[in-house]
Amino acid sequence: MPEQQQWTIAATEQPPEWFIQAVKQHTPASSGIYAAQLLWQRGIKDHQQLTAFINHKAYQPASPFEFGQEMHLAIARLQQAYNIKEKIAIWGDFDADGITATSVLWDGLGQFFKQNTQFIYYIPNRLKESHGLNNQGIDNLAKQGCKLIVTCDTGSTNIEEIIYAKQLGIDVIVTDHHTLPAERPPVAAIINPRYLPKEHQLFNLSGVAVAYKLVEALYQSLPNIAKNPLEDLLDLVAVGLIADLVQLTGDCRYLAQLGIQRLQADFQQPAAARRRPGVGRLLELCQKSGDRPTDISFGLGPRINAVSRIQGDASFCVELLTSRDAKRCNELAEVTELANTRRKSLQKDVQAQVAQKLIQLDLSTTSVIVLEDAQWPAGVLGLVAGQVAQETGRPTILLSTEGAGGDEGENLTSSSPSSPPLARGSARSVNSVDLYQLVKDQAHLLHRFGGHPFAAGLSLLVENIPLFTAAINQQLRQSLGSTTLTPTVQADLTVTVADLGKELFLELKLLEPCGMGNPVPKLLIQNCWFENSWHRNQQDWQGKKVQYIKTEFYIRDDSSRSAFPGIWWGHYKDELPIGRCDCIAELDYNTFKKRYEIRLIAVRPSVNSTLSTRNGLNAPRSLTPLILDWRNLTTPHSRSATLTASPLPFGYAHGKPTPPLLLEDCPTNWDDLRAWLRRCLTISSSQQLAIAWSKPNLQPPNQIWLTLVGIAKYLNRTNQLVTRVQLLEKIGITDQTLLVGIKALKYLGFTVKRQDRYLQITWHSSDSAENLAEAAVARFLAAVREEQFQRQYFAEVPLSTIVAIASSDNYMGTSF
């Protein structure tokens, strides 16, 4: 299970008064103290730095020719192609950085080379080809007469493929930002910021920004040819930069600032007048306006990424981002939105399965989490691995042992010949653990690998997984020594509910665009509580339900009489703690609802919190015990005796005593019990809860299965209908287990149809394979055994354990 998160607060050094006053000039409506604190924390400590950070006009961007000789070689080769009218191909990548990089080259180089005839692009299929150059794709381009390939966001380590292209008479210009090869590849030019010193203002460029610098250099070298201004590309650069989670410092921040301005300006145009109607339609579908970095990181980026995750082929995304045909762009945007809807559903399914596997892991002895499954779709593994890494504080590797294609955002370097069956997957890291180096050190066990310190992709023989798991865990344990890996969340500032709102939002907005190296400010709110919380499945743009949960609520504390709205993505309202709590959140503006709100990041009961009501000042302080243990006390006399012995046998509602709530059905999970506790701890009342279930009389699972089959046969024979409640009472199982049983019945030839609130069960001969039916029955028996285990547990668990878990559960990320 995920471990309890460690909360930290950033070290606060009070900035000098002159600095606070300098910041206040940029935020006259507020004191400027919070923004000054954050900027000072993050190393902005003089007037020049401050001005350049906040105002892009005061920043001096680097020349594209600071890439040195390699940029000159690239421009010379492009000029040669321009002069002799050679056919050129862009070789892109299928993630948001790669798609936007391809689009920047398509629009930018397209000012010099005739699109679709002299100039084409190729994007590998994520599910069939994975990242980087490959010989089959190169053959395809050779047949079309291409003499030059320009890569973007890929290619640095594809030495063998570059040599192969050269043998076919094709030169390669690599533009990339991923891992460098040991030696310079045999290319016409390689433009990669990793060749620059780490402190260089271009060092952190993503793939799209490197592509932009190439186009910028060509604009400067061949002036008066391009018809469209270079700045028209900046909106795409901002999308790729922010979606790729690179460090937004130096030119990265500068380009993102300019790009967001252009993104917003284009969106504000009437739909028919937009330069990029596809981008505009995507923003409309995700209910964003393009003026915030989060509109990209939570809106555009995930949607562009979803296409290759679900469909494999993301080539049409370049048309979506660059076409001026509004009707066509609307169609492509809707296809993209559907892919994102499907991605959310798949991601949630895999998250649930991973959560079950995590239960079986002993995290105290696990340094690197490695999990595998034959049914996992490879396209969403990186997303889930990132969530697990954050939840557990450990590098996480998820592998699919069936199908093809990883989810990593980087080139895969081959380390051994192909030999099926292969597992393919993705890895994500936290806590400054260099995951790429960890994976690289196990290259002898791998088929292919590639990546960044925080993200990697790999494939390996299925039979090597146990060896790989043991080796990578041992390696990290040795490197960590006595250091313990724990999930950590850091708050930047401590605020109250009274501080939240427009004034603070605009002050913190000075730090935007935020990203790696300059994260969104996280606010610690202490001794607060939640009210009017509710959750629902988030709907897609067509109004169809998808399995994606969000909880909305209002937060209060003693600083203000007013509550403040908030949202918690991916969580149910029952996961909010009971009573007063501490939380870490981000302050945001909801464009769709036109309101300021917090986005909840983490929450836990306050150090001084008890199982008391949220308005505990108005309730009797002697409200103990909250929970009465009436298990196995079946007679009114025995329950009455317990009430008489209780220090406070009743709760209070409106000043009057109320009897305890009676829970007679034995729960099968903690969430069921928490829901009852919440009914007790409402704003208007504070009742006791009497847990009054009896010790379960459990039948053998096989007998329960035979009973279910017997009922199904009887209903088929008599043509009678039955309600779900009647079935549950007769068999003695829960809804979830009954659903598994119904699925098993279908393999035996039964059909279950719903008629209003009734079920109709009929039978017809089935062609289902016997092994499938046996597997389905085995799943039902396993579900029954698990349910019975839980019932037995709750029948015997000490009351002290129930109270302890109910009062100390931190609810931070335990729901995937």
Side-chain angles (χ1 to χ4, degrees):
M1 289 291 292
E3 293 185 83
Q4 181 173 335
Q5 281 180 317
Q6 178 181 335
W7 287 24
T8 61
I9 182 78
T12 54
E13 178 187 350
Q14 183 69 17
E17 185 61 29
W18 68 263
F19 188 78
I20 296 173
Q21 292 305 315
V23 172
K24 184 171 171 53
Q25 292 178 14
H26 299 280
T27 174
S30 65
S31 67
I33 182 63
Y34 288 126
Q37 250 185 298
L38 287 168
L39 291 165
W40 194 264
Q41 279 175 15
R42 297 178 183 187
I44 309 296
K45 296 189 174 182
D46 63 45
H47 279 290
Q48 186 177 353
Q49 282 181 307
L50 178 64
T51 304
F53 185 87
I54 293 175
N55 180 11
H56 64 83
K57 294 179 181 178
Y59 178 83
Q60 182 59 49
S63 163
F65 290 100
E66 290 201 28
F67 281 103
Q69 181 65 19
E70 296 293 345
M71 184 63 82
H72 289 283
L73 289 172
I75 295 304
R77 185 63 185 86
L78 286 170
Q79 286 179 319
Q80 176 186 332
Y82 176 79
N83 291 332
I84 63 177
K85 296 186 173 7
E86 287 180 306
K87 189 165 187 176
I88 300 176
I90 306 166
W91 189 295
D93 197 27
F94 42 68
D95 66 4
D97 189 27
I99 292 291
T100 52
T102 305
S103 301
V104 162
L105 291 181
W106 183 246
D107 267 4
L109 298 185
Q111 297 293 303
F112 303 88
F113 303 96
K114 191 173 181 180
Q115 293 175 336
N116 297 314
T117 54
Q118 187 191 1
F119 187 39
I120 60 176
Y121 61 84
Y122 180 85
I123 296 175
N125 186 304
R126 180 177 217 141
L127 302 180
K128 295 179 181 179
E129 299 173 79
S130 193
H131 297 266
L133 296 163
N134 63 70
N135 289 355
Q136 185 177 352
I138 293 170
D139 285 337
N140 183 19
L141 296 179
K143 289 175 183 177
Q144 297 182 63
C146 291
K147 296 299 180 184
L148 176 63
I149 292 174
V150 182
T151 77
C152 52
D153 195 36
T154 195
S156 291
T157 56
N158 290 133
I159 308 299
E160 294 179 6
E161 292 80 3
I162 290 168
I163 293 172
Y164 181 75
K166 200 171 184 65
Q167 291 170 348
L168 297 180
I170 301 175
D171 288 336
V172 178
I173 295 173
V174 169
T175 74
D176 193 11
H177 71 122
H178 293 104
T179 307
L180 294 173
E183 297 180 3
R184 184 185 184 277
V187 292
I190 176 169
I191 304 168
N192 189 321
R194 293 201 179 197
Y195 282 117
L196 300 170
K198 286 188 177 181
E199 61 276 7
H200 196 284
Q201 62 196 98
L202 297 177
F203 182 79
N204 292 308
L205 295 187
S206 72
V208 67
V210 178
Y212 175 80
K213 284 296 182 182
L214 176 66
V215 175
E216 183 183 11
L218 193 59
Y219 264 67
Q220 293 178 10
S221 301
L222 296 176
N224 306 320
I225 293 178
K227 295 180 181 179
N228 294 334
L230 177 68
E231 292 73 25
D232 278 359
L233 304 175
L234 287 170
D235 49 359
L236 297 179
V237 176
V239 173
L241 271 169
I242 293 171
D244 206 48
L245 302 178
V246 296
Q247 190 160 319
L248 291 182
T249 56
D251 273 37
C252 290
R253 178 175 175 83
Y254 170 77
L255 292 171
Q257 285 173 314
L258 291 174
I260 289 172
Q261 287 183 3
R262 297 191 77 85
L263 191 66
Q264 181 186 17
D266 193 47
F267 182 74
Q268 290 174 341
Q269 296 292 321
R274 289 173 182 161
R275 262 185 325 105
R276 301 198 188 278
V279 175
R281 181 57 181 152
L282 277 184
L283 285 169
E284 289 172 349
L285 289 172
C286 60
Q287 299 174 346
K288 307 289 184 183
S289 60
D291 66 327
R292 304 285 313 289
T294 49
D295 293 354
I296 296 170
S297 53
F298 295 133
L300 297 177
R303 282 160 173 78
I304 296 169
N305 279 323
V307 175
S308 62
R309 295 184 193 280
I310 300 303
Q311 299 181 188
D313 183 5
S315 298
F316 76 77
C317 288
V318 177
E319 183 181 1
L320 170 66
L321 299 184
T322 60
S323 172
R324 304 303 192 259
D325 184 339
K327 182 179 179 182
R328 173 64 174 158
C329 285
N330 285 346
E331 294 172 357
L332 295 178
E334 291 175 1
V335 173
T336 303
E337 186 68 15
L338 284 173
N340 192 51
T341 298
R342 177 66 178 146
R343 186 272 304 170
K344 290 179 182 178
S345 180
L346 282 178
Q347 184 178 343
K348 188 172 186 295
D349 290 344
V350 174
Q351 285 169 352
Q353 294 167 33
V354 169
Q356 290 300 312
K357 289 179 182 285
L358 275 177
I359 293 173
Q360 303 166 24
L361 273 186
D362 181 1
L363 290 184
S364 66
T365 60
T366 304
S367 298
V368 181
I369 294 171
V370 183
L371 299 173
E372 60 175 289
D373 193 279
Q375 302 302 318
W376 286 343
V380 299
L381 292 186
L383 297 171
V384 181
Q387 287 183 297
V388 175
Q390 290 293 331
E391 301 285 357
T392 62
R394 288 160 173 75
T396 299
I397 301 172
L398 300 182
L399 299 166
S400 175
T401 53
E402 188 170 294
D407 176 45
E408 63 290 338
E410 46 284 324
N411 303 320
L412 291 177
T413 304
S414 179
S415 66
S416 64
S418 177
S419 179
L422 287 173
R424 294 174 171 84
S426 298
R428 296 294 184 266
S429 187
V430 287
N431 288 335
S432 301
V433 175
D434 189 339
L435 184 59
Y436 175 76
Q437 191 59 47
L438 278 177
V439 172
K440 183 180 178 183
D441 289 344
Q442 308 305 323
H444 59 287
L445 295 172
L446 303 176
H447 169 60
R448 287 163 67 91
F449 69 92
H452 301 296
F454 288 97
L458 67 158
S459 61
L460 71 164
L461 293 176
V462 172
E463 64 188 41
N464 283 350
I465 293 176
L467 257 173
F468 172 77
T469 302
I472 201 168
N473 268 274
Q474 181 181 9
Q475 181 186 352
L476 183 54
R477 275 195 298 270
Q478 289 174 348
S479 65
L480 288 174
S482 59
T483 304
T484 303
L485 291 174
T486 54
T488 303
V489 59
Q490 177 174 292
D492 299 293
L493 299 169
T494 301
V495 301
T496 65
V497 172
D499 293 322
L500 303 174
K502 180 179 180 180
E503 185 178 302
L504 179 59
F505 174 82
L506 293 177
E507 184 174 329
L508 298 181
K509 202 171 187 288
L510 286 179
L511 279 80
E512 291 187 355
C514 294
M516 287 184 65
N518 179 41
V520 177
K522 291 183 173 52
L523 312 176
L524 173 63
I525 307 168
Q526 296 174 299
N527 205 23
C528 57
W529 64 91
F530 301 99
E531 61 182 35
N532 298 335
S533 61
W534 61 284
H535 64 243
R536 66 182 174 92
N537 281 348
Q538 180 69 2
Q539 294 179 328
D540 68 10
W541 60 281
Q542 291 181 319
K544 297 177 181 177
K545 289 289 183 72
V546 296
Q547 294 300 308
Y548 202 70
I549 297 299
K550 72 170 182 178
T551 290
E552 297 197 39
F553 57 81
Y554 282 85
I555 187 173
R556 286 185 180 271
D557 68 6
D558 296 323
S559 69
S560 171
R561 291 181 176 272
S562 301
F564 193 80
I567 192 169
W568 198 14
W569 284 100
H571 292 268
Y572 293 92
K573 67 175 185 178
D574 295 330
E575 295 176 68
L576 292 171
I578 297 168
R580 291 184 178 251
C581 60
D582 303 330
C583 73
I584 295 176
E586 296 171 357
L587 183 58
D588 198 13
Y589 179 73
N590 188 319
T591 308
F592 180 64
K593 292 188 174 182
K594 300 188 184 309
R595 72 177 192 184
Y596 298 95
E597 63 188 18
I598 61 168
R599 186 187 304 118
L600 198 58
I601 304 298
V603 61
R604 68 183 181 191
S606 291
V607 175
N608 299 321
S609 177
T610 61
L611 274 176
S612 59
T613 60
R614 296 192 183 102
N615 57 340
L617 293 175
N618 301 321
R621 288 192 177 274
S622 57
L623 186 61
T624 57
L626 175 68
I627 305 174
L628 298 173
D629 192 353
W630 284 0
R631 288 174 293 181
N632 303 314
L633 300 179
T634 57
T635 66
H637 175 75
S638 57
R639 292 178 178 178
S640 176
T642 306
L643 277 173
T644 304
S646 172
L648 182 67
F650 297 99
Y652 280 75
H654 308 291
K656 298 179 181 179
T658 58
L661 286 176
L662 202 62
L663 176 54
E664 295 184 290
D665 293 328
C666 183
T668 57
N669 58 69
W670 285 106
D671 286 340
D672 290 347
L673 195 51
R674 291 189 193 107
W676 279 83
L677 283 169
R678 287 188 173 280
R679 289 182 59 184
C680 299
L681 298 174
T682 61
I683 295 299
S684 59
S685 68
S686 51
Q687 285 178 275
Q688 290 173 293
L689 174 67
I691 56 174
W693 55 81
S694 300
K695 189 171 183 178
N697 182 20
L698 303 176
Q699 295 184 33
N702 280 326
Q703 184 59 49
I704 294 175
W705 168 244
L706 292 176
T707 302
L708 178 59
V709 173
I711 292 172
K713 289 180 177 178
Y714 173 78
L715 294 173
N716 170 68
R717 187 171 65 252
T718 61
N719 202 30
Q720 291 187 31
L721 302 179
V722 66
T723 67
R724 176 185 56 81
V725 174
Q726 288 172 328
L727 271 180
L728 294 174
E729 289 177 350
K730 184 68 177 176
I731 305 172
I733 56 178
T734 62
D735 261 329
Q736 190 173 359
T737 304
L738 177 61
L739 181 61
V740 180
I742 288 174
K743 289 181 179 178
L745 286 175
K746 291 179 180 179
Y747 282 101
L748 298 184
F750 289 97
T751 300
V752 182
K753 294 182 179 178
R754 182 180 295 276
Q755 294 186 8
D756 296 326
R757 63 190 186 92
Y758 291 96
L759 299 176
Q760 180 185 41
I761 301 180
T762 56
W763 181 86
H764 55 84
S765 59
S766 173
D767 297 328
S768 295
E770 185 177 340
N771 62 328
L772 293 177
E774 288 178 357
V777 174
R779 284 193 291 272
F780 173 73
L781 297 177
V784 172
R785 281 192 288 270
E786 174 63 21
E787 180 182 314
Q788 291 183 344
F789 171 81
Q790 295 291 347
R791 289 188 189 279
Q792 194 70 41
Y793 170 79
F794 280 102
E796 300 172 356
V797 62
L799 179 62
S800 59
T801 301
I802 293 175
V803 173
I805 288 179
S807 60
S808 64
D809 194 343
N810 60 28
Y811 301 85
M812 297 182 309
T814 56
S815 173
F816 284 94

